Amino acid sequence: MRLLSLCHVCLVGLMVIGGSIFAAEPTTAQRQFQDFVRAEARRINAERHAPTTAAEWQQRREEIHDALERAWGGFPETPCPLDPQKLGEEPRDGYRFERWIFQTLPGVWMTGFAYVPEGDGPFPAILSVHGHWKHAKQDPVVQSRCIGAAKLGFFVLAVDAFGAGERGLGEQLGEYHGEMVGTTLFPIGRPLSGIQVYENMRAVEYLQTRPEVDGAKIGVTGASGGGNQTMYAGAFDDRFGAVVPCCSVGTYDSYLTTASCMCEVVPTGLTITEEWGVLGSVAPRGLMIINATQDAFQFSVGEAEKSLAYLRPVFDVTGEPTHLKHAIFDWKHDYHQPMREAMYGWMTLHLKGDGDGSPIPEPTLDVQDSERIRCFPGDSRPDDWLTLPQFAAREGRALLVDSKLPATAAEWETRSKELRRTLVEQTFGGLPQTSPLELNVEASGGSTVVGFSPEPGLQLTVSFEGRGGETPRTAVLLNLEGAAAARQSPLADELRKEGWNLVTLDLRATGDLAWPNDTIMRAPDHNSSQWSMWIGRPLLGQWVNDVLRLLEALSDAIDRDLGEVTVIGDGPAGLVALCAAAADDERRISQVAAVGTLASYISDVPYENQRVGIMAPGIVRDVGDVPHLAALALPRRVVIAGGVTGGGQVLDELQLQEAYRAPRLIAATIGADESVVIRRDAVDLAAALE
């Protein structure tokens, strides 16, 4: 069975039903997070309107471009040499087939096929970007439009996206660059959506080096994930005179009903614009949007029409209303022959100046075996080929080179204050803590159950197990698998035995509040994390907000002395605990512990046994790595009980000491030498928290 646009979560074994992915109807509790996110989107979109003048649109277009480029972490000021290298060619009927690689970023190579028409050039050119069909640029669906266009007199360049096709982790075709592969890019602030834009701009530069190409007449097209790339490339690069996204256009809001590939996520995207604002940047150049009647909700005809309602005024005010066309086919998610023929006609009109844009019949195709035509057949790819996670790790390490330790306590006080502000306001998108808590307190089976609202539209439930004692101590035990997993853990048993008050809860979108079938491959919180990034509120920040509001609720709801409050994060929740302590201006948290937690965001391999939600976009670039976050919790006691690498390897005590060298040295600088405690595991953790 064909992978029906992995980019739009048509993954093997999943069904897209009415725009939502789940095995059963979500409960009210499970639905509340999606309802919350969509309410945020409606609030953000409420003031947006179509432009009424060309000047108004031009200003808005510039603002959208600037904001999108920031969301993508910016583009290199000085491009590296393309250094194109030809790997082979073969003559075919009506065109020549060539295999190429060229460099898009230092050490990053793009694999591509050139389809060169017979005859005298220069020819108009088309950049063909693939979706998530298994064989990427080699796939018969992609080959078909390339061959058809070449036989109609277009120079066509088909390229592999980073992490897909011949650019995967391994050498076999069929790898997916989403889930925890693409997620490695978020902490460094370079999401895959932005890298794709930049790489496709470099592909245009390559096209313009070819003497057979008329560099002033270039188009771009792709389906599904390739349609998404087409939209952004066409919007950002004015060198594309014709732009044809297929089976991809809908609305950003519809992303909040389902899942998409990590390559589609634009962090803060909904705070910048809606999808029509990106598509509008193509105006007044030629834009044809292709939709299918049997497609999924998020790229359905109806959702596309919502964007077109705003797009049409954009093309009106820019003076070329006929340069926008909506082509609808009674078909499924695909790029089948009638769609291709519509594209040929549109490209012919806008790149050759011929015809009226009507469909052009497709020539006879000679589609080849996917494996036979590869740039690197079999296992011939160079051994030093840079994979997507390796690139993310390389860039992350470069960012951390400038993370110098403070020389004095005063220097750290100034720097840490600025880093905390950046963490809260920029990385987390703010921590709203002004709404009423709406407390509800009940006794239940020896525990006190506290209901509270961390933000309007969300209701969380806390279990407080009181132990009493002359010197009360309270532990907030966090687990992103949910409250039940926290309560049933050996750590909870140890805390009870040692007489601690124990607090557990389901943070938003976790445990009993998790969205059904939120898991995509290695990513257990795939969809909810994406929705959060779209609205500019990564889940890590939202979870921190839940913890801080929980502490506020406990102080109001529990009629007893809680004593010192320790926040303990088990596994990935250790990042939540560390960040909560860093952001705790009220000093309600006395000490913090991270148990078996990710020791560094930097990973040369896809994350294993982690959460997308802790990968806040730009956190390494703007604040620092996990140890730097631990340092921001000082001078509280910070206990590191075990840790793992991104790939899931358990670190021994010496490795942990080295990993957390920065907070240990900072603690010494500020006179809190004993504040950082490193332990190999969580055995007898309570003793380390005395």
Side-chain angles (χ1 to χ4, degrees):
M1 182 181 77
R2 181 174 306 286
L3 298 185
L4 176 56
S5 176
L6 278 166
C7 186
H8 295 290
V9 198
C10 301
L11 297 165
V12 173
L14 292 181
M15 294 296 292
V16 180
I17 306 172
S20 298
I21 298 179
F22 48 83
E25 185 67 22
T27 65
T28 300
Q30 291 169 332
R31 190 176 288 281
Q32 72 165 341
F33 182 69
Q34 187 189 64
D35 290 344
F36 165 76
V37 170
R38 298 202 71 192
E40 284 291 290
R42 287 193 296 272
R43 180 186 62 78
I44 293 168
N45 275 326
E47 301 300 319
R48 290 185 174 137
H49 61 274
T52 56
T53 66
E56 177 192 355
W57 172 244
Q58 183 58 34
Q59 179 180 347
R60 197 182 308 181
R61 184 183 191 271
E62 292 174 3
E63 292 169 352
I64 290 170
H65 278 217
D66 290 345
L68 285 173
E69 190 167 343
R70 286 194 300 273
W72 288 327
F75 299 141
E77 292 184 7
T78 305
C80 68
L82 285 169
D83 192 16
Q85 299 177 27
K86 189 175 184 180
L87 303 180
E89 69 172 69
E90 58 188 70
R92 293 194 187 164
D93 181 23
Y95 65 100
R96 182 174 73 253
F97 176 76
E98 301 176 346
R99 302 172 183 85
W100 286 86
I101 60 171
F102 52 89
Q103 188 176 221
T104 57
L105 294 156
V108 178
W109 294 86
M110 185 174 243
T111 44
F113 296 152
Y115 297 77
V116 187
E118 288 182 347
D120 298 327
F123 304 101
I126 297 174
L127 175 63
S128 177
V129 285
H130 64 80
H132 291 72
W133 279 272
K134 182 178 180 181
H135 292 154
K137 73 181 185 305
Q138 288 84 199
D139 199 275
V141 171
V142 180
Q143 285 191 57
S144 295
R145 64 175 177 266
C146 297
I147 296 168
K151 288 190 171 186
L152 290 170
F154 294 92
F155 183 112
V156 183
L157 176 66
V159 294
D160 280 329
F162 204 0
E166 298 192 72
R167 305 177 68 194
L169 303 174
E171 296 171 336
Q172 298 302 310
L173 298 178
E175 283 191 11
Y176 178 40
H177 63 186
E179 49 101 34
M180 286 305 194
V181 179
T183 294
T184 58
L185 292 164
F186 286 125
I188 66 168
R190 298 281 297 279
L192 191 49
S193 54
I195 288 177
Q196 287 181 341
V197 171
Y198 183 72
E199 287 204 310
N200 289 331
M201 292 168 69
R202 299 306 313 273
V204 174
E205 292 173 30
Y206 167 73
L207 281 170
Q208 292 182 325
T209 69
R210 295 294 300 252
E212 306 96 332
V213 170
D214 183 340
K217 297 178 180 179
I218 301 176
V220 61
T221 190
S224 188
N228 190 72
Q229 291 187 59
T230 297
M231 173 177 72
Y232 288 114
F236 250 76
D237 196 330
D238 291 341
R239 291 173 295 184
F240 289 115
V243 179
V244 184
C246 176
C247 289
S248 63
V249 170
T251 60
Y252 281 169
D253 181 68
S254 65
Y255 286 143
L256 307 182
T257 67
T258 184
S260 55
C261 177
M262 294 303 173
C263 74
E264 284 190 319
V265 177
V266 180
T268 72
L270 256 165
T271 70
I272 298 169
T273 185
E274 244 293 352
E275 196 163 309
W276 67 267
V278 178
L279 290 160
S281 293
V282 177
R285 293 167 286 136
L287 172 63
M288 181 168 71
I289 295 169
I290 297 177
N291 286 101
T293 58
Q294 301 172 43
D295 219 331
F297 171 73
Q298 66 269 35
F299 26 96
S300 62
V301 173
E303 287 301 295
E305 282 291 351
K306 292 178 182 178
S307 288
L308 281 155
Y310 289 87
L311 265 177
R312 292 184 181 101
V314 173
F315 276 80
D316 287 343
V317 299
T318 54
E320 296 290 355
T322 62
H323 284 196
L324 172 64
K325 183 176 181 179
H326 191 199
I328 302 171
F329 295 86
D330 186 14
W331 195 246
K332 56 189 177 181
H333 192 87
D334 199 359
Y335 208 145
H336 73 329
Q337 182 174 343
M339 294 173 174
R340 298 193 298 266
E341 291 175 341
M343 179 268 291
Y344 302 146
W346 192 254
M347 294 290 186
T348 297
L349 171 63
H350 289 276
L351 300 183
K352 294 184 178 182
D354 295 337
D356 60 2
S358 298
I360 292 177
E362 185 170 73
T364 302
L365 304 180
D366 52 343
V367 174
Q368 305 293 306
D369 177 75
S370 297
E371 290 291 334
R372 190 190 72 78
I373 62 173
R374 293 175 58 168
C375 292
F376 298 110
D379 59 357
S380 63
R381 193 176 75 178
D383 292 338
D384 60 353
W385 190 265
L386 196 68
T387 67
L388 191 157
Q390 289 170 346
F391 168 79
R394 184 190 75 180
E395 298 300 297
R397 293 186 185 105
L399 290 170
L400 295 173
V401 166
D402 294 331
S403 298
K404 297 178 181 178
L405 295 172
T408 65
E411 180 187 343
W412 176 244
E413 182 178 1
T414 300
R415 188 193 304 178
S416 62
K417 186 177 298 184
E418 179 61 23
L419 288 173
R420 289 188 184 97
R421 185 196 66 78
T422 299
L423 179 68
V424 170
E425 297 180 12
Q426 182 172 314
T427 307
F428 293 162
L431 298 176
Q433 298 180 47
T434 58
S435 60
L437 286 168
E438 300 179 7
L439 291 173
N440 179 37
V441 184
E442 297 179 1
S444 176
S447 300
T448 302
V449 177
V450 180
F452 74 100
S453 175
E455 296 184 58
L458 295 172
Q459 188 70 27
L460 305 183
T461 302
V462 180
S463 172
F464 176 85
E465 302 177 34
R467 293 289 180 272
E470 295 182 3
T471 307
R473 296 165 300 178
T474 299
V476 177
L477 182 55
L478 305 176
N479 190 314
L480 297 182
E481 296 299 318
R487 285 193 293 270
Q488 296 165 14
S489 67
L491 185 52
D493 290 339
E494 180 187 348
L495 292 167
R496 293 185 185 103
K497 181 180 177 181
E498 296 298 323
W500 288 64
N501 300 322
L502 183 64
V503 177
T504 55
L505 82 162
D506 287 332
L507 297 169
R508 69 182 74 185
T510 72
D512 291 340
L513 305 179
W515 184 251
N517 282 9
D518 209 9
T519 299
I520 302 293
M521 300 170 72
R522 286 169 290 202
D525 54 349
H526 185 279
N527 306 347
S528 52
S529 296
Q530 290 187 337
W531 303 340
S532 301
M533 292 184 200
W534 276 110
I535 64 170
R537 297 275 311 278
L539 264 180
L540 179 58
Q542 294 188 58
W543 286 331
V544 165
N545 195 61
D546 288 347
V547 173
L548 298 182
R549 299 233 70 188
L550 156 68
L551 299 176
E552 183 183 348
L554 283 178
S555 65
D556 292 346
I558 304 300
D559 187 20
R560 67 172 73 184
D561 182 10
L562 299 176
E564 290 192 345
V565 175
T566 300
V567 177
I568 305 171
D570 197 355
L575 266 297
V576 182
L578 293 174
C579 288
D584 176 29
D585 289 337
E586 299 297 323
R587 309 287 294 181
R588 290 191 170 101
I589 300 173
S590 300
Q591 54 185 351
V592 62
V595 179
T597 298
L598 183 69
S600 175
Y601 283 119
I602 309 304
S603 180
D604 291 291
V605 297
Y607 295 120
E608 297 282 354
N609 303 317
Q610 294 300 328
R611 292 263 174 165
V612 180
I614 64 172
M615 311 298 172
I619 195 167
V620 169
R621 178 195 62 203
D622 300 325
V623 182
D625 202 359
V626 176
H628 302 97
L629 299 172
L632 291 177
L634 295 170
R636 302 171 180 85
R637 175 173 291 187
V638 177
V639 178
I640 305 299
V644 297
T645 67
Q649 287 78 34
V650 176
L651 301 175
D652 61 30
E653 190 165 341
L654 287 176
Q655 291 171 321
L656 284 168
Q657 292 283 355
E658 179 59 27
Y660 285 90
R661 179 174 174 271
R664 289 190 295 111
L665 293 176
I666 291 171
T669 299
I670 64 176
D673 302 65
E674 305 301 319
S675 292
V676 180
V677 178
I678 307 292
R679 298 167 61 92
R680 181 174 182 174
D681 51 40
V683 175
D684 297 326
L685 178 63
L689 295 169
E690 294 294 340

